[in-house]
Amino acid sequence: MELVYRFRDSAAANVKPATLQSACVRALSSWAAVSNFRFRAPANSREINNIIIGFHRLSHRDFHPFDDPLGILGHGFAPQDGQAHLDADENCRLGHSSDTNAVMFSGIGGGQRKWTPTADDINGIRALYS
C-alpha cells in the first residue's frame, strides 16, 4: 500500500525543520522495510495526502495541547484524518508496545536511541496492517 505524506507548516522547533523532516523520512523508511507500506512525498500541491505530519507547541487548535518538554511526545488521529502531531519541544517518538526494547514502547530513557524496529515492532505493524 502506498501512502503519501507531507509536512504541515509547524511551530519553530529546537531543531531545524529539514532535520526533523529527514528524521521522519528515515523513520518511514524503517517501517516500509518491514511492512507492506510504501511512503512518498506528494508529486504536487494538489495531490491528496494520507499522512500530514506537523510539529507543534502547547495548544495548537486540536483540543489536545502539548505540555512542556519531557511530557507528551505526540498524538495521532484515525487513518481517515491522517494527522500526526509531534511536540516541537521533545525528542519525539510515539509508543504503544509493552516491550521496553521496542521503538514503539511508550517511554525512552535519557540518552537512549532506538533507530531500528525490533521483532516486536515488526510483528506489531504486520499484525495491524498486513
Side-chain angles (χ1 to χ4, degrees), residues 41-59:
N44 59 59
S45 62
R46 293 184 307 263
E47 187 171 9
I48 293 180
N49 306 281
N50 306 105
I51 302 169
I52 303 168
I53 302 166
F55 293 88
H56 304 282
R57 285 200 164 96
L58 303 172
S59 180

Side-chain angles (χ1 to χ4, degrees), residues 21-100:
Q21 292 178 9
S22 176
C24 287
V25 170
R26 283 194 316 271
L28 292 173
S29 294
S30 292
W31 290 111
V34 298
S35 71
N36 292 327
F37 292 116
R38 297 296 167 256
F39 301 95
R40 68 172 178 82
N44 59 59
S45 62
R46 293 184 307 263
E47 187 171 9
I48 293 180
N49 306 281
N50 306 105
I51 302 169
I52 303 168
I53 302 166
F55 293 88
H56 304 282
R57 285 200 164 96
L58 303 172
S59 180
H60 52 281
R61 298 181 292 208
D62 70 356
F63 303 106
H64 302 283
F66 289 125
D67 50 9
D68 291 324
L70 302 177
I72 299 170
L73 301 175
H75 54 251
F77 298 90
Q80 297 84 348
D81 184 89
Q83 293 189 58
H85 295 172
L86 303 170
D87 189 339
D89 292 319
E90 303 281 357
N91 288 327
C92 297
R93 65 176 282 305
L94 302 177
H96 302 288
S97 174
S98 60
D99 179 349
T100 59

